[in-house]
Amino acid sequence: MKRYILPCMMGLALAGGPAFADETRTPPPTEPYYAPQPSGCDLVRLKIYFEPGTATLTPFARDAISEVSEQLAGCSVQRLNTTAIAGDSSTEAPVIGLAEDRRASVMKELLAQGIRASDVAMNTDLGNSVMSRTVDIELQTVPARIS
């Protein structure tokens, strides 16, 4: 019995040998491989809502800005457009001041989250209803260059 074990093992080793031969390996790819580009470097629009008569960011607004900051990882913000809208005041003078204060709150939070742009456009709209109490943000982005 022992004299059959060695020849059987040799036969099995030789039978399995062609599986490891060079001609059975798959050839390397002939086409170049390109790493996938980040998909978050598109136009991003965000609407930040405020409580009536205030310019303080809500926790939800802070979370929304934080999510946008994470989405823009690997992107460079080229242009930042903001439109502050305040239609929830009874006279025009406080409305403009309230809209500016809201925009300042949003810009401060954007900077705190690391969102900066080389070109910033700021607009103010007096709004036409009591529900007009937002800051609309538009971020034009491109993939960041590392140099």
Side-chain angles (χ1 to χ4, degrees), residues 34-105:
Y34 296 101
Q37 294 294 318
S39 62
C41 295
D42 296 326
L43 180 68
V44 176
R45 289 190 173 108
L46 181 64
K47 188 176 287 265
I48 302 295
Y49 290 92
F50 289 86
E51 293 293 324
T54 69
T56 305
L57 288 174
T58 64
F60 180 77
R62 290 184 193 280
D63 290 343
I65 293 172
S66 178
E67 285 181 28
V68 166
S69 174
E70 291 173 12
Q71 177 186 349
L72 295 178
C75 300
S76 174
V77 179
Q78 297 296 308
R79 183 166 172 80
L80 169 65
N81 297 321
T82 61
T83 302
I85 304 169
D88 55 337
S89 184
S90 59
T91 61
E92 186 174 312
V95 172
I96 294 172
L98 184 57
E100 294 299 321
D101 292 345
R102 288 175 176 168
R103 183 190 358 266
S105 295

